[in-house]
Structures are given as structure tokens and as C-alpha cells.
Amino acid sequence: MNRREALKIGALSVAAAATMGTITGCNEGAKPASAPAAGKKLCKHKVVVIGGGFGGLTVAKELKKRDSTFDVLVIEKNDTFMSCPFSNTYLGKLEGVNLGTFVHDYAQPVEANGYGMLHAEVTSIDRAAKQIHTTKGVVEYEILVMSPGIGYDYKGQFPNWDDEKIKHVQRVAPGALIPGKEHIILERQLVDMDDGNVVITVPSDGKYRCPPAPFERASMIAAYMKKEGIEGKVIILNATNKVSKGAAFKESWKDLYGDRVEHIDFAKIQDVDPVSKTVTYHIADEMEDKGYKVKTLKYSVLNLIPNNISNPVIEMSGVETTTDSFKRVVMNGCSFQTKTDKDIYAVGDVIAHTVPPSGQTANWTGKQCALEIANRLHKKAFELPVKKSTIKVGNVCYSMVSDNPEEAIMVTHDFSFSEEKNIIVSAGNVPKSPSGKYRSSGTAKATRDWYGGIMRDLFS
């Protein structure tokens, strides 16, 4: 048995585990389990956090750390936590990385930190009554924190697709920006593929989770194909010409993979045919010439990352959102309190502050939000430190670009408050290593260290 045959057997085992129901997607429609359970009053808590991801778990932990008497409940639909940050290394088959690297049980942080957790799906929010309706019953709150993450906007991006086609595309060309089964499907498809092209699309409009993710993914898949001797290209169809950490990624692709990684600017997706495994697109600039051509591309594996939108929980809450396609929550100035409701806060991907949507930022916003709420509950005046002083390296985001040797690139962001815009803003920097290249083995080690550190921060 050779290495690739062994990987295929491993992929089958992982897929079987996924069907056991321990890992589920986060963007499936909210459906009450039964009417009686949905209407039953369960409990009331001082602070209720919706979402058990990077932001939500941080808020809950930090509140209990500030005052162990705080009554905090987290509502999370999944039974098991799975990390999206660092998950592209799973596709690259880096040494020591497996599904267990990303999956954690929620019992550990609940025991360690003393907050409560309800595994249920939110179906509606009644702000007037301060009630959250879930598939398990009704939870009442005094303060609500929303950290629900993202959803996908297939209907907005592909208005001619019906529900069946969307479901089909989700099954066979998963976006893999929402942790869970999507990553497992994509990994299985890569292991099963023979020679051929892997196509990765970049969202065509607005904000999306982890802007470097499509480009890190291309690097990791190229590394995997190179390692396994798979003939073919990784083709990135980018609706714009924007590439997060662009100079660093492009330098790495040229040095390490030659023409194996192909990045196409202004490639707007028109349609996908999962049966013939073709994607059709046109170059947006060509439309202005009235003679643009629709181009067709065959693929072996397609990672179609659709436009992102705030998780439907945000719309349920009825708070004011931005008018862009993502519908970000409008904040109350230099705060994580919403502008609409003084008793509702938001952190993570959904906020309208222009800070990068990353795992590290979700952790930072969660800590800042917890500080605000803790001081409020203690009836103390408080303002976020970022209002007066720039927060140096508030965000650091690593991206692995190669294997054997492992090398990575990074971007850091300073955070500050803009009086003019009345939001928290950021300024990024992509440093070079002492060698003069953007990538280095030292940054790869820092990537692994960062991931281990933030997992300990969330789960211990």
C-alpha cells in the first residue's frame, strides 16, 4: 500500500466519523425540534452568549474570570467545537496535523471556567421581552452577546439557482469557511483525486471571513499535490484583483510552485455544473468592451467559496446593520455594544468595526467586550483602552505557504479608534524575514505556537 492509498483509507474513516453526527455545519436552516419544546421556558441568565466559537467562548471565559459570581450561559448549536483557523494545514497534510488537531469537546471549558452551555439552535429573538427562542425552549437574558459567525449568501450571488442546486453545490463543492463537515468533504475529495485541476473561488462581493484563507488554501493544496506527485494546477478565480498579503503569497507561489498556482484577476463566476465538473466565468473588465467571452474551466475538485453574510441570528435580533451585502452590526461608537440596543453586544465576524475578521481578532474583541460588560455589572465607568491609545499588534494572522520545509507568512494589525468614522479601525503590515523573503521557517513555528496558545486560551 502506497502513501496515497493509505490517505484514501484514512479519509473514509474520517467521513464515517462525520456521519455520526458529532460534527455538523453551522449554516443550516433553523428548524425547531418540536413546538412544545420551542415554547417551553427554560431559564433566565444575567448574560447569554450566542455562539461557542472564538469570540463567544472568550466572552464567557473572561466574564467568569472577572467575577466568578457572574451568571453566564453560552448557546451553541453544535455538540463539538471545530476550529477554522489553521485548518488549511489539514488539507496540506502537514506533519502531525489531523482532524483531532481541530476538534475539541465543550465539556473542558465549561468545567474549567464555570459558565453554562445549552446546545440548541436559536430560532428567534424577542428583544422587547428579552427572550431567545431555541429548539430546546426559551431562554431569558439581561444582557445578550451575539457571536454567531457567518452564513453563505448563495441566493444573492447566484439568483438563478434553486434550493436543490444550492444544496447540491454545497455537498460537492463546499465553501469550507464554516467549520465542520465542509472541511471533511474537501479533504476527502483531495485525497481521492487523481491528476487534474483544483479550482478555488474568492467571494465576489464584500467582507468575508479570514481574507487570506483562499490563498493559504491554494498554497497548502499546491504543497500537497507537489508532495504526492499529482499533475495539475491550483487555479484561483478571484472576482477582484485584491489578494490579502498579496506580495507575500505571490512571491511564495512563484518561488515554490512555478506555474502550478495560477491566480486570475476579475474572474466573476457565472455558473457551476457539478455533473460535468465545469465552472463558467468571465473576466469582469471585458464586459465594458461589450464583447466579453464566457470561459469554461474543467476541474477535479472545486472549492466554491460563496459571498459571506452575517449569520441569520443577526437578522433575528432586529438590530441595525450596515447596508452592504454582509450586513454587519452597527456599533455604539468605541464599544462592542450595539447602536440599536444597550443590552445587546456583538463580537467576532459580524461587527461593523473595520478590524480584520480573524480568529485572533475574535479573541481580542471578546476580551474587550467582556471588560465592558464586567464594568457595567459592577456599576463602574469604563471606556475601551483603544479609544485613547493605539493597540499595537491587536491582530496577528499567520498563513502557511509550504511544507518540507514548513514556511509561513504573516500580517499584523494595529487597532485605533477613528473619531471621524466613529468606529475602531486597523492598519496592517506584512513584514519580511531577515532573508529578504516574506516567508520563513521561524514564522511557520510561530504559526503552530500561536494555534496551540489560542486553543489553550479557549479551552483551559
Side-chain angles (χ1 to χ4, degrees):
M1 180 185 297
N2 62 32
R3 174 182 161 83
R4 289 204 63 209
E5 290 170 337
L7 285 172
K8 289 183 180 182
I9 292 174
L12 287 173
S13 300
V14 168
T19 62
M20 294 172 66
T22 56
I23 302 170
T24 58
C26 307
N27 65 330
E28 294 174 353
K31 295 179 181 177
S34 66
K40 175 186 173 185
K41 279 193 179 180
L42 296 176
C43 49
K44 180 176 181 178
H45 294 270
K46 181 73 77 178
V47 181
V48 176
V49 181
I50 297 177
F54 281 67
L57 292 186
T58 300
V59 172
K61 175 179 177 176
E62 290 296 312
L63 282 171
K64 295 297 287 186
K65 204 164 89 174
R66 299 279 163 191
D67 189 331
S68 61
T69 68
F70 286 164
D71 172 24
V72 182
L73 176 76
V74 177
I75 300 176
E76 165 57 42
K77 65 180 283 189
N78 294 318
D79 292 331
T80 307
F81 174 95
M82 185 174 180
S83 172
C84 205
F86 199 60
S87 62
N88 283 326
T89 61
Y90 181 51
L91 304 178
K93 298 295 176 189
L94 299 195
E95 184 177 356
V97 176
N98 54 51
L99 196 59
T101 307
F102 308 100
V103 177
H104 297 265
D105 69 86
Y106 282 114
Q108 185 181 1
V110 167
E111 288 297 313
N113 300 306
Y115 51 77
M117 180 165 284
L118 171 67
H119 290 291
E121 193 162 353
V122 175
T123 56
S124 65
I125 297 173
D126 183 341
R127 279 185 18 230
K130 304 187 80 166
Q131 292 180 336
I132 303 161
H133 292 249
T134 79
T135 49
K136 298 281 181 65
V138 177
V139 177
E140 296 181 311
Y141 66 87
E142 291 187 24
I143 293 174
L144 170 62
V145 181
M146 300 189 296
S147 182
I150 63 166
Y152 292 141
D153 188 19
Y154 285 97
K155 287 186 178 295
Q157 187 173 357
F158 303 105
N160 294 327
W161 290 9
D162 60 23
D163 290 344
E164 286 304 311
K165 175 151 185 174
I166 291 172
K167 289 178 182 176
H168 189 193
V169 172
Q170 283 182 303
R171 284 197 304 273
V172 299
L177 279 190
I178 296 175
K181 61 188 177 185
E182 299 174 10
H183 293 73
I184 296 169
I185 294 170
L186 185 58
E187 189 268 349
R188 184 247 303 159
Q189 291 177 334
L190 290 169
V191 170
D192 285 347
M193 75 174 284
D194 295 315
D195 294 341
N197 295 329
V198 176
V199 174
I200 299 172
T201 73
V202 180
S204 67
D205 191 21
K207 173 182 177 179
Y208 63 94
R209 168 179 280 178
C210 192
F215 313 109
E216 181 191 50
R217 185 166 295 165
S219 305
M220 286 289 90
I221 292 174
Y224 168 73
M225 293 172 70
K226 183 178 178 181
K227 184 164 52 184
E228 298 301 329
I230 299 172
E231 295 294 330
K233 290 186 175 184
V234 181
I235 301 171
I236 306 164
L237 299 180
N238 189 344
T240 71
N241 63 347
K242 297 176 183 174
V243 178
S244 177
K245 307 177 193 171
F249 273 118
K250 290 179 179 179
E251 177 189 84
S252 300
W253 296 336
K254 181 180 178 182
D255 290 351
L256 300 170
Y257 306 114
D259 62 357
R260 187 187 289 273
V261 176
E262 182 179 356
H263 178 266
I264 302 176
D265 291 340
F266 302 114
K268 186 168 182 179
I269 309 299
Q270 290 196 335
D271 200 4
V272 171
D273 183 347
V275 177
S276 64
K277 288 195 166 187
T278 55
V279 55
T280 55
Y281 68 98
H282 66 263
I283 303 300
D285 278 357
E286 293 178 352
M287 288 190 70
E288 297 174 1
D289 299 328
K290 299 180 182 179
Y292 75 90
K293 294 179 181 177
V294 174
K295 303 182 180 183
T296 302
L297 188 61
K298 291 279 289 184
Y299 63 83
S300 293
V301 174
L302 174 62
N303 171 212
L304 181 73
I305 305 177
N307 291 348
N308 289 191
I309 191 170
S310 288
N311 184 286
V313 162
I314 299 302
E315 185 175 2
M316 291 177 199
S317 74
V319 300
E320 182 181 353
T321 58
T322 55
T323 56
D324 60 9
S325 59
F326 192 94
K327 301 183 187 305
R328 298 167 290 154
V329 176
V330 177
M331 313 305 292
N332 187 24
C334 191
S335 172
F336 291 92
Q337 188 181 55
T338 64
K339 181 182 177 184
T340 306
D341 190 326
K342 67 179 179 57
D343 294 327
I344 298 184
Y345 293 72
V347 299
D349 297 298
V350 299
I351 58 176
H353 295 307
T354 57
V355 292
S358 71
Q360 181 65 41
T361 299
N363 182 262
W364 182 80
T365 61
K367 289 180 176 175
Q368 301 305 300
C369 180
L371 270 174
E372 276 194 87
I373 294 172
N375 279 281
R376 171 179 168 176
L377 294 177
H378 286 151
K379 303 186 185 308
K380 293 181 179 177
F382 177 78
E383 72 177 15
L384 293 175
V386 71
K387 187 167 186 178
K388 289 185 175 175
S389 305
T390 297
I391 305 299
K392 295 290 186 182
V393 196
N395 176 57
V396 57
C397 173
Y398 298 99
S399 300
M400 284 285 193
V401 293
S402 71
D403 188 12
N404 294 323
E406 285 185 8
E407 293 179 311
I409 59 176
M410 64 184 289
V411 60
T412 63
H413 290 90
D414 297 341
F415 297 156
S416 59
F417 179 64
S418 167
E419 295 280 357
E420 181 184 356
K421 297 179 179 177
N422 203 29
I423 55 173
I424 300 170
V425 298
S426 61
N429 174 50
V430 181
K432 288 188 174 182
S433 72
S435 71
K437 297 288 186 182
Y438 288 102
R439 67 186 186 281
S440 74
S441 295
T443 307
K445 182 180 182 305
T447 305
R448 286 185 179 261
D449 290 346
W450 171 84
Y451 182 70
I454 202 162
M455 287 298 102
R456 287 191 293 276
D457 192 51
L458 293 177
F459 288 93
S460 62

